Structures are given as structure tokens and as C-alpha cells.
Amino acid sequence: MSETVKATIEGKEIAFPVIVGTENEKAIDIAKLRAETGYITYDDGYKNTAACRSKITFIDGEQGILQYRGYPIEQLAEKSNFLETAYLVIFGELPTKAELAHFRELIAEHTPIHHNMRHHFEGFPASAPPMAILAAMFNAVSCYSSHLLEVDYDRETLLEASAKLLGKTSTIAAYTHKKASGRPFCHSNPTLDYSANFLHMMFSEPYKEYLGHPDVVRALDLILVLHADHEQNCSTSTVRMVGSSRVNLFASVSAGVAALWGPLHGGANLAVIQQLERIHSAGMTIDQVIDKAKDKNSDFRLMGFGHRIYKNFDPRAKILKTACDRVLDALKRKDPLLDIARAIEERALEDSYFVDRKLYPNVDFYSGIVMRAIGIPLDMFTVMFAMGRMPGWIANWQEMRQDPKSVINRPRQVYEGHTKRDYLAMDKR
Ligand code: CMC
């Protein structure tokens, strides 16, 4: 007999079914709670609430495990690349050689943007935040492909939409950088792999082709692989929430970009570097930094530390810490911020404040240092996160759309405002 959990509410005992995931995660199914008892649950920030059932990504935060479609992130980081991982996340299986070649071709075909789209760039001021441009542009892209505004995709349409979103993200991102720096746009080169082509569009100039060092290209590709999905994080949940109204994939992804922008989510990679720079330029000692982060009278938080899910270590941070060394060695460069980051990590890991609260470096703690080494400008860091997260957003949107039981997301609330009162005329207020 399947497991149940019993609760007594106002003297009435009610049994709730328990849902068990393939990795033995357990959830209490409260679907009939309100109908049978009139009660709802309250869970600020959804810390204990599963909003969906999913087959895409598994995370065990206590053990530091992250798997896409069952494959451990460490294996994908070492052996795969971004396009193969993107295919895996979106379609559920690793591609065959022919499938990957086809996917790659489609992406190359969809990477250039419609010439009318260039006018959109011209409308933005040079100081426009890249994440604002990115969010706006995804909606703009959809205006050129009306058939992709449908919400029931078969496999071919999903392939096309995925190729379009992945391809266009790299072009929009590179063009945003060119626009902000006042440099001429650069066409994509379909012979290059995804990450190499993005760096080419970012840094090549007329008559001056940018040739990325293989370790630099690999480091960028690794960052994208590590960001490809992360189950129900703020932006992915936003994509699902928005998509649950049956709006198209492009509008849903655009909302995901907005959610990712904030410093507690994707914006943390930028906040980490800005914080490390301030620590460096102010000549703060590591003790001063740690004391400030612990001081409850200060709103200073150690950016890149702590995670809602990981309470042991973030496996992505471990991989990136090693990648920092590799890319800096390859470029024969030293970065004082890396020394500061390492010293902070070392001190924090033996400080009871961080140990007791299970605060460890997260993916953003080292990704910024890798991106700095690659030459990605600071204001483009969160755009890189968005580029990496695209497969996860697409996969989650499609999974939700394919679920015959999926309904519009509409949480409840506990109302704490005024009780009913009568309207007051202006002279009585
Ligand atoms: N520095 C100092 N103290 C911290 C930090 C930090 N980075 N993070 C959490 N704490 C403390 C917090 O003050 C609280 O202490 P107390 O129990 O005494 O009140 C306790 O740890 C629990 O914090 P919380 O805010 O309740 O934890 P949360 O699970 O709601 O928040 C977090 C997770 C990631 C928002 C938070 O750790 C944080 O703000 N970190 C810095 C920002 C950051 O690096 N964000 C990137 C997250 S990873 C990328 C992604 O997946 O989006």
C-alpha cells in the first residue's frame, strides 16, 4: 500500500498521499487539503514546496549532487560540451553524432538576427543594462516567427525554437556588448563552435579576427555547461509560472531573464567581483571581511556564499575553482581577486558562523574570476548566466506544456490587511 502522512485538523484526521521521486525524495501531496479542511499551507519563499514533478535535473543539496537527466555534473563538465549538454537537458537523452551535427547546424542557421532587429539595438542608449536588452529582445525575436508563438510544440518545432533561442542569445549578447562599447557589430562564423563563435562575435573587429585561446574557449563552454539547468530556481520557476498561463516560450523566457537579473540570483556573479574589487581597493583584511559578513547590524553579505539548496558544497563551485587555475595558467596571468577569494573561502570554512549556517561558496564565487580572465566585461556576467541557463528554461517550459495535468499557477495568500470598512469622503480623511 502506498505511504500516507496523517494530520489532525480541527479534530478531523486526514491522510495525505506521499509522492516518492526516483531518487527517493518524498513529498506530501496536499492537493485535497483545502477542499477537505478549508485550510491552506503557508511556505514563505517556497522553501518546502515542490511546485511540479520533473524529470530534468536532480539536486541533493546535503550531499552536493547535481545531475542533468541522471548524468553527474562532474562527468558532463569533463567530457561534454555546451551544445551536447543543452540537447541532453532539452530532449532528455545524449544526442547521437548525427543528431548533434543537425542541432549544431540549426543553431548556426538561426544565430544571425534579422536585419530589422538591428533597429531595436539602435533604440537603446549605450548605457542600457544588458539584461534589460536581453529581456526585450527575446520578445522581439518572437515577432519574426509567428509559428513559434504556438504553445504545443512537436519535436521538430521544439528543435527549431531551441536553436533559435540558443543561437539568438549569443548574437544578442555580443551585439549588446558592441553597442555599449560603440564598436561595429560582427557577423557570426558558422564554422566555429558555439562558445568560440560567441567570443568571435564579442571581440572580433573588421580586419582583426579574434582567435580565442583553446583554454579560454573551453573555460567559457564549461561555465555554460555548469549553468545549463538547476531545477526550480527563481528564474526557472518564473518561466514555468509565466508559461502556465499558456503564453509562448519566448515571452516566458523573457520573464526568466528578468528574474535572473537580481543580485540574489544570476546577478550574484557580478556582485561577487564588485565586492572582491572593493575589498582589494580598500585594502581590507580577510578578518575584516569575515567580521563584516557576520555582523547582523550590517547588511553586508558575502556574495557568492550560501545557497538555498546546497548545504554542504556546490559541486559547480568546486569545478570552477580548478578551472580558474587552468585558465589563468594558460593565459600566464595572475589575478589578485582570486587570491582574496581563496583566502576568504579558507577562513569562512573554519568559522562557526558559516559552518553552523552551512554557507559554502556557490557557483558565482569563482565564475566571475573565470569570466574576467576570459575578458567578458563585468556588465555582461549575468548575460552569460542567462545564455547558459537557456536549455533549462526551454526544457522546463516544454515539460510543463507536455504535462496534461498542468494548470495555471495561482498560489493562495494569507490576507493580513484591513477587514471590511466603509469608504470615507475626502473631507473625513
Ligand atoms: N553572507 C553572510 N551571511 C549569510 C549569507 C552570506 N552570503 N547567506 C546567508 N547568510 C546568513 C543569513 O544572514 C542567515 O543568518 P541568520 O540565520 O542568523 O539570520 C542565514 O545565513 C540563512 O540565510 P537565508 O538568507 O535565510 O538563506 P536563504 O536560503 O534564504 O538564501 C541566498 C540563500 C543564496 C539568497 C543567500 O545565501 C545569499 O544571499 N547569498 C549571497 C548571494 C548569492 O551568492 N547568491 C547566489 C546564489 S547561487 C546562484 C543561483 O543559483 O542563483
Side-chain angles (χ1 to χ4, degrees):
M1 208 177 100
S2 49
E3 200 180 330
T4 57
V5 164
K6 291 195 178 81
T8 307
I9 298 173
E10 293 179 354
K12 182 181 167 195
E13 190 174 86
I14 173 162
F16 298 104
V18 171
I19 301 170
V20 185
T22 49
E23 291 278 2
N24 212 27
E25 277 187 312
K26 293 186 174 175
I28 302 168
D29 178 353
I30 55 151
K32 61 181 182 178
L33 174 68
R34 188 165 170 276
E36 294 201 2
T37 68
Y39 276 67
I40 54 174
T41 54
Y42 173 67
D43 185 17
D44 198 12
Y46 308 114
K47 290 187 179 182
N48 307 286
T49 297
C52 63
R53 299 178 182 212
S54 179
K55 292 186 168 69
I56 304 168
T57 288
F58 172 69
I59 301 176
D60 181 332
E62 301 301 325
Q63 314 243 19
I65 294 173
L66 169 61
Q67 293 166 0
Y68 301 155
R69 303 285 188 181
Y71 293 100
I73 192 63
E74 292 80 4
Q75 291 183 23
L76 294 169
E78 190 192 333
K79 298 177 182 158
S80 185
N81 57 55
F82 180 56
L83 286 198
E84 187 184 59
T85 299
Y87 189 99
L88 168 72
V89 168
I90 298 169
F91 296 98
E93 294 297 337
L94 286 167
T96 61
K97 204 171 171 187
E99 284 168 338
L100 185 58
H102 178 51
F103 192 43
R104 193 175 175 281
E105 266 170 35
L106 263 183
I107 290 174
E109 183 191 319
H110 286 290
T111 297
I113 57 174
H114 193 282
H115 59 91
N116 283 346
M117 286 275 294
R118 295 212 182 184
H119 300 309
H120 292 277
F121 282 101
E122 279 155 25
F124 290 109
S127 60
M131 288 296 275
I133 298 183
L134 196 62
M137 284 303 204
F138 285 136
N139 274 313
V141 166
S142 73
C143 302
Y144 296 85
S145 328
S146 52
H147 65 293
L148 296 180
L149 298 180
E150 298 297 323
V151 291
D152 290 318
Y153 286 177
D154 57 17
R155 191 182 166 83
E156 276 313 299
T157 321
L158 180 63
L159 252 178
E160 185 190 343
S162 306
K164 188 157 275 197
L165 278 168
L166 288 163
K168 299 283 189 261
T169 308
S170 63
T171 318
I172 295 166
Y175 277 26
T176 302
H177 166 61
K178 288 287 177 92
K179 163 85 187 167
S181 52
R183 293 170 192 278
F185 296 152
C186 175
H187 291 296
S188 67
N189 178 346
T191 64
L192 294 174
D193 282 335
Y194 188 83
S195 296
N197 182 47
F198 169 68
L199 291 171
H200 151 73
M201 288 194 287
M202 281 284 285
F203 302 125
S204 285
E205 301 277 339
Y207 309 114
K208 195 164 168 236
E209 180 81 7
Y210 168 91
L211 287 174
H213 187 294
D215 285 323
V216 166
V217 177
R218 175 72 195 129
L220 174 64
D221 208 71
L222 177 66
I223 286 182
L224 299 180
V225 168
L226 296 180
H227 284 87
D229 192 39
H230 213 236
E231 52 121 300
Q232 301 315 309
N233 54 85
C234 178
S235 57
T236 304
S237 302
T238 300
V239 169
R240 278 190 180 251
M241 166 74 90
V242 172
S244 77
S245 75
R246 304 215 172 158
V247 75
N248 66 80
L249 173 62
F250 293 77
S252 305
V253 158
S254 170
V257 172
L260 186 71
W261 193 354
L264 295 191
H265 189 14
N269 54 19
L270 169 62
V272 169
I273 293 296
Q274 288 171 331
Q275 190 170 77
L276 290 172
E277 278 176 345
R278 280 196 299 273
I279 292 168
H280 183 54
S281 61
M284 282 174 82
T285 65
I286 302 303
D287 282 341
Q288 284 169 330
V289 175
I290 296 290
D291 287 347
K292 206 168 169 195
K294 289 159 49 176
D295 182 359
K296 291 292 168 198
N297 294 318
S298 139
D299 58 5
F300 180 94
R301 279 193 168 197
L302 213 46
M303 298 313 289
F305 253 75
H307 200 278
R308 174 64 61 79
I309 305 291
Y310 294 119
K311 300 297 175 195
N312 182 335
F313 64 90
D314 179 340
R316 304 166 302 170
K318 266 194 176 175
I319 296 167
L320 277 175
K321 191 176 174 187
T322 317
C324 278
D325 291 328
R326 213 172 35 234
V327 73
L328 288 170
D329 277 358
L331 297 173
K332 301 193 175 30
R333 227 183 277 157
K334 275 198 72 65
D335 187 341
L337 300 195
L338 178 58
D339 298 334
I340 296 174
R342 283 214 190 95
I344 290 175
E345 178 183 352
E346 207 171 293
R347 276 281 285 102
L349 294 188
E350 54 194 33
D351 188 297
S352 61
Y353 174 94
F354 294 91
V355 174
D356 294 350
R357 288 170 181 75
K358 301 186 174 176
L359 301 171
Y360 298 89
N362 60 50
V363 66
D364 295 317
F365 198 60
Y366 289 108
S367 67
I369 295 172
V370 176
M371 286 196 272
R372 242 164 82 96
I374 293 173
I376 306 286
L378 268 188
D379 64 354
M380 293 292 291
F381 279 16
T382 314
V383 173
M384 297 296 100
F385 193 150
M387 193 184 288
R389 185 54 49 87
M390 187 57 71
W393 290 337
I394 297 170
N396 274 274
W397 183 89
Q398 174 69 356
E399 186 176 67
M400 180 195 58
R401 289 293 317 125
Q402 286 197 316
D403 178 358
K405 289 205 202 113
S406 108
V407 290
I408 186 164
N409 288 191
R410 203 313 188 173
R412 314 260 341 171
Q413 63 169 13
V414 177
Y415 176 68
E416 292 184 332
H418 286 285
T419 51
K420 180 175 174 272
R421 51 184 176 159
D422 289 328
Y423 178 80
L424 279 182
M426 190 69 84
D427 59 346
K428 301 243 168 62
R429 288 175 206 167

